[in-house]
């Protein structure tokens, strides 16, 4: 699966991404059109009305923005940056980071497609041709890769069941007169996530991770559990625990070197449609999170990089819990718990950038990187 | 797993139990106390008030009843009889059947115990010491065995979720001050059957079947899907299909010789609490049943012995469907579809027996055996 | 997963591909460069030395060849033709077939890539963007699709185990001084197929089948078990049985409508490196094949289209076995057993075509189609 | 599965069994006849020739021995003692331990029976009636339970494959003239452990653990990997990792509260028939062990109690590795690593006891308990 040299290197790279404790990963792998939209929105918020650009101009701006922030990423607080393939292969910006001691990585997942049996859930594409793409990314300087899969999550009170295939007789002869099968094989349950969705997520991430290591890149698996629905905290935690445990089952089956891999999960939390959403405390989130991680992420995995954008608070609390638990507590045995944020780090910098103030942009990125770093280390709420 | 001789014999015995087409299996494996209760009820219905017997007397009566009916079982309509271990080992009645060309078998399952994670569902005991028990049964003349597991089945509209374990802090020091885990691992879903229940059912039946063949007995696996709740026909069929398919997955894993095994399933049907219960037709049941069997029971299995007591009608219809399907239809490829009934065969005979009329008892058993046989063969409704 | 209309149509199309009994599927989905090579080889065998063509000319020749044979495919012996995407989308030749009552289908699988954990085995690509490709194929007239996966198969006497990752200490500090993990997670077994390979094959085919039905195309899953190694017949049969059973496990999990699907497996057979290779009889192959199919392919599946090129003989014998088995035998319950051949049908026609004799080409295709049809029907050896 | 009160109590009891760090569990659950034999052997080694006792006398001696050692178990070095059911239910000795601050537990597993498909491997009995037995044990004072399963382990160079079932024709008519199935379903692989054996081990232990918690007892699962064969260290470690990971997969499925459970595994080590057996160092064993535990035992599990009798040396080294690993190393995150020994603790005390010297017996038990405790704490080799 990997040569001895590769195993050594994978382990070292994974370790560097989460140490010294406090450092996290800056996610800048938005799709180009999403990046364009974000920049336009920032310009309009800044009062700028001339936001229609040619494709050529948009590409220039994307590159300029990345160059500006990449040249400011503080390596004492940020260990790595996730690049979009365009940034890696067209703009060739990986050296800008690695020259400054920051590890460049690449987004590996591609499009979503509906899961045939449960069309509100998803298959994630990106496995076709992955080995070649990862090898090319490594050639451009990437040392890790990231694959995101969304996971639907609702309470166990399902909506109305779908209508089954009806059992009307077959009047014609083109099937040899055979009866139509009576029952649909459609899953009559609309409780999310379905077992099938969790299985496909786990299998997809495990194939990704194995291929990524085959190409010499540390895989970061990103199971992103939905919180738009009506799950309460216990249900969200249960879904996180099942999903993550199943991911590691399949990673073991595919021979992934756990010591050379990382995970980027969401925080368990009540859904937006659940009444407890507004009442839940960061302490409750942190307790549920620490429990989930201690049950489902193997100790061999060097670190957990939480994804949630607005979660500096949760991040601080879960690290406080880990740092203050007595020896003998499972929470004292958790791996490094850090962050992999995008918007949280760059929202304010971008406001400066669209006004043309590069220095303020850079200063702001440094400021927010330190805020996240401090949250991990001290638990101080930003 | 089995010697060449055994494989030959297992296949021959399994084949004999379902051929010539129409013959079925008479189930007489009620527990002794259930048997006693049934006899008392029959006596009281017949107007007899003196129904209190000593244990000794009750045992005598059980033996006398079995001797009477066993000596009348018609081998042209009945291929085998399932005995309770008491009948086999204490009364030694297997030869009474085998001398008349009828294959004796034995009940192998023991007690139910609640499934810890989902206490309204069950684990079925009976695997401890099973090899020795099956070998002893073979020594007494048994050539097949049967293991029943109940499967809960409700609609996908669950009841209220259970209360999760609360996240109160741990005040004491006896856990090293560690926080209590936030979330329960209790399955918050009350939708029956749970995935775990189906898995334990399948694993239990597969272990039974493998051990039974190890001892030289044809295993009959009996998944008995509940119909007391609110599932509709489509849901019941879906549960049957999943349960039976999973049973054969595990039977394959355990190396069971499918050609030397049989299955005794329930008929898919709406639950007693579902409004369609009174409206469903035998044709609809038959169509659902044939679909389920064609999807889940491998062709290598020589036959299906339905268990439902009041199902002569369904039995006729599903056989009509199988017999009248054109070549090329999956239903034309179904294995033998016959019966394994108890009460349906012996309810009327018992009324005669409690009055002391042995000849009428025997005649009635012959009559009802023929009714079931005819249902298989001609589809004539009794 | 599929609308009622689609389910009806899928079932009807699957049924048509294997009925009336005897009809089979003509496989013409070679990759363009393979097709070119085959044509060149046929030319050179015919004594033609001028076989270097421009890419443009090669494409013209591919199209001309397909047009010639497609216009001759006899619908009384051939039910469907598998097209390469180029033939479907660039040459638009589906109507040439459907106008003559023959069902066009499309190849869905893409490239092979080594399975990371066991690099002599394969992952098969082709799932990315599959739904769109299948919908486009349907728009061009395709009504079914086919996905091939190769399965390695050797005896249980493995080669030398791979060298494990060594446990040398880590001298550097870049991993925080942590010890290198002692053991490799590389599977030390070199026995093919690995459990992982079978699982990935099954999952890949099931995802393909579900997406194909989502697009309204009948999926044909093609597990092609290798026979280049040293497995004997029993081992090859065991591998076929496990592989096919696992494929249907995952197809059930993905909600595939079995009645609207087909399978194209290889024949179990001794490997080229096994001494029994030259001694095995067609009767032995047929017995093993019928056993495997009866144990692993659900009755709901309307037909089995064997793939082996030189297998007219096996095809005849396995059909004789099925047709001559008495009622009650599992072999009497097998689905339609037909063929999906390429080379066997077109090798001789191509010899005529490269000489420019279109009439002889067509006559030869008709002749070979009838030979295969007769093999299914009568068991006559060609 | 367990009430809130029970969860709290289970977690506290599991925690106490492995803390303060260094304390371990004394295993005294030998079967009565094994205990008798051990005592007789010790007597004969001490020169005593009169070693034939009546059953009554033998029981008295067993009780006397247990009373002697139980009254000496040092609670500063020993946290719990595993009792045989006879000791618990007939001798009622649990209070002797609990009065002294030591937690009594009970053996839960029963007999071994050959796994039908792979008869050199085992099914372990003891699940029938388990809930009642565990509740009774709790009534007698037990607070934990232990279930041992043996796991065969050999290299990947298998012995000769078994002879498959032959394909002779069936001459008789008793199977309806059907052909005998060609292939055996016997696993042709003799590579231990089989996948099936690992699955049954995991399922058995998970059912045990769930039922044990249902009764309020902390379950200790004991996967005991064989080292009598020819596996090398890497193979033994691979088997340990797969086995333990699979056990936790099934424990999760059965809803076991990981925080209220423990594991008692063997040390990975070369088999007695492997040439490296005599050359392997304790450091190599420790490195392999730490790797296996970090990959397969969830952080939520409070401790690991190694079983190997002669393993004080390994125990010291693996604790040294854990205690000396820098923060960020997976080995710094291992749970408590302690011992659950029998013979290592009581072999020398017994020599004194058979001579009638109770004081020397007790002193020796205290000495050996401290030796094991010290091995955990300081890594000092005994």
């Amino acid at each position: 699966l990997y040569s001895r040299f590769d195993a050594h290197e994978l382990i070292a790279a994974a370790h560097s991404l989460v140490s010294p404790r406090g450092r996290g990963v800056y996610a800048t792998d938005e799709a180009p059109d999403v990046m364009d939209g974000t920049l336009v929105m920032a310009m309009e918020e800044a009062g700028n009305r001339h936001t229609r650009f040619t494709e050529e101009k948009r590409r220039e701006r994307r590159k300029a923005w990345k160059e500006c922030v990449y040249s400011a990423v503080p390596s004492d607080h940020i260990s790595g940056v996730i690049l979009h393939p365009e940034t890696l292969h067209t703009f060739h910006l990986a050296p800008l980071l690695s020259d400054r001691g920051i590890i460049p990585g690449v987004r590996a997942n591609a499009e979503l497609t509906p899961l045939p049996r449960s069309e509100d859930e998803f298959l994630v594409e990106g496995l076709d041709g992955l080995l070649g793409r990862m090898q090319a990314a490594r050639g451009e300087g990437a040392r890790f890769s990231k694959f995101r899969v969304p996971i639907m999550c609702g309470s166990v009170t399902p909506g109305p069941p779908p209508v089954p295939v009806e059992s009307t007789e077959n009047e014609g002869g083109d099937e040899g007169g055979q009866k139509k099968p009576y029952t649909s094989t459609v899953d009559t349950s609309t409780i999310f996530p379905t077992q099938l969705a969790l299985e496909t997520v786990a299998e997809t991430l495990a194939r990704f991770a194995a291929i990524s290591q085959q190409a010499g890149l540390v895989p970061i698996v990103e199971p992103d559990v939905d919180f738009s629905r009506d799950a309460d905290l216990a249900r969200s935690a249960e879904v996180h625990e099942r999903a993550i445990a199943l991911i590691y089952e399949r990673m073991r089956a595919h021979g992934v070197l756990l010591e050379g891999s990382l995970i980027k999960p969401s925080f368990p939390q009540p859904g937006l449609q659940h009444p407890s959403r507004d009442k839940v405390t960061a302490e409750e989130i942190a307790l549920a999170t620490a429990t989930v991680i201690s049950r489902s992420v193997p100790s061999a995995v060097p670190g957990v990089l939480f994804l949630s954008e607005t979660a500096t608070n949760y991040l601080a609390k879960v690290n406080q819990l880990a740092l203050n638990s007595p020896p003998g507590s499972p929470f004292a045995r958790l791996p490094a718990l850090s962050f992999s944020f995008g918007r949280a780090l760059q929202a304010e910098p971008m406001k400066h950038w669209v006004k043309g103030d590069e220095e303020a942009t850079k200063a702001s990125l440094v400021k927010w990187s330190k805020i996240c770093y401090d949250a991990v280390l001290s638990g101080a709420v930003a």
Side-chain angles (χ1 to χ4, degrees), chain A:
Chain A
L1 178 46
Y2 34 76
S3 72
R4 210 163 92 200
F5 177 77
D6 288 341
H8 186 280
E9 199 184 293
L10 288 168
I11 295 169
H15 182 80
S16 293
L17 285 166
V18 291
S19 60
R21 192 178 184 101
R23 295 208 306 166
V25 169
Y26 174 24
T28 70
D29 59 315
E30 316 92 325
D33 56 342
V34 172
M35 184 80 256
D36 292 343
T38 309
L39 286 172
V40 162
M41 203 179 309
M43 290 182 72
E44 291 180 343
E45 282 176 4
N48 197 328
R49 294 170 149 204
H50 305 287
T51 58
R52 295 228 165 186
F53 299 109
T54 62
E55 167 50 26
E56 163 107 28
K57 184 70 182 165
R58 287 199 300 273
R59 188 162 49 234
E60 273 174 30
R61 289 175 58 82
R62 290 196 298 269
K63 188 180 175 195
W65 156 253
K66 301 280 188 194
E67 281 176 328
C68 176
V69 287
Y70 287 5
S71 65
V73 180
S75 67
D76 41 355
H77 301 149
I78 299 291
S79 57
V81 174
I82 312 173
L83 280 67
H84 188 272
E86 180 189 65
T87 320
L88 189 69
H89 295 292
T90 308
F91 303 158
H92 304 288
L93 295 187
L96 188 54
L97 295 161
S98 46
D99 288 351
R100 309 183 58 248
I102 289 163
I103 306 175
V106 66
R107 176 160 87 164
N109 56 284
E111 303 302 308
L112 302 182
T113 185
L115 184 64
R117 187 178 179 170
S118 173
E119 296 202 343
D120 291 327
E121 299 182 293
F122 302 100
L123 289 166
V124 183
E125 301 186 338
L127 295 178
D128 283 5
L130 183 63
L131 179 60
R133 290 209 314 281
M134 293 298 97
Q135 287 167 334
R138 191 179 154 91
E140 287 280 352
R143 288 296 175 268
F144 71 93
S145 60
K146 193 214 66 172
F147 200 107
R148 175 183 176 270
V149 294
I151 296 171
M152 290 294 98
C153 177
S155 76
V156 292
T157 308
V163 178
V165 172
E166 212 178 291
S167 68
T168 52
E169 298 288 313
N170 168 23
E171 59 293 332
D174 54 352
E175 298 167 36
Q178 68 186 80
K179 293 290 189 302
K180 279 260 292 305
Y182 182 81
T183 52
S184 162
T185 53
V186 172
D187 194 349
T188 56
S189 163
T190 53
I191 298 171
F192 298 120
T194 60
Q195 176 66 18
L196 178 64
L198 292 182
E199 287 170 1
T200 57
V201 157
E203 180 68 14
T204 299
L205 288 179
R207 289 193 192 186
F208 150 69
I211 292 171
S212 178
Q213 292 192 338
Q214 203 177 15
L217 301 188
V218 171
I220 303 182
V221 296
E222 180 177 359
D224 187 355
V225 177
D226 165 76
F227 58 94
S228 68
R229 294 172 184 251
D230 64 343
D232 62 8
L233 178 56
R235 169 73 179 161
S236 177
E238 178 207 330
V239 168
H240 275 82
E241 185 181 330
R242 281 174 62 205
I244 297 174
L246 195 54
I247 288 165
Y248 285 108
E249 283 184 26
R250 295 310 299 164
M251 286 178 71
R252 281 194 192 91
H254 279 273
V256 173
L257 181 74
L258 297 179
E259 291 84 352
S261 75
L262 294 166
I263 187 166
K264 179 176 176 176
S266 42
F267 281 101
Q269 57 195 289
L272 297 176
Q273 297 175 31
H274 193 272
S276 69
R277 176 76 191 179
D278 297 329
K279 296 171 215 148
V280 73
T281 67
E283 282 77 8
E284 288 171 320
I285 300 276
L287 186 54
T289 302
T291 301
V292 163
I293 301 298
S294 74
R295 289 178 177 176
S296 60
V297 178
S299 301
V301 175
V304 176
L305 299 163
F306 292 101
L307 67 84
S308 305
E309 287 302 326
T310 57
T312 328
N313 199 12
Y314 303 161
L315 187 62
K317 291 294 179 191
V318 76
N319 270 288
Q320 286 180 315
L321 194 59
L323 293 169
N324 299 325
S325 288
S329 162
F331 299 166
R333 293 191 292 271
L334 293 174
L337 305 173
S338 192
F339 60 90
S340 176
F341 294 163
R343 194 152 44 89
L345 293 172
Q346 73 187 23
E348 191 186 275
M350 197 177 288
K351 290 179 183 170
H352 298 290
W353 189 81
V354 294
K355 293 177 188 155
D357 187 343
E358 294 229 340
E359 287 319 299
T361 303
K362 293 179 182 185
S364 175
L365 184 73
V366 168
K367 180 184 92 177
W368 282 98
S369 298
K370 185 166 188 315
I371 287 171
C372 294
Y373 173 87
D374 288 343
V376 174
L377 270 204
S378 65
V381 181

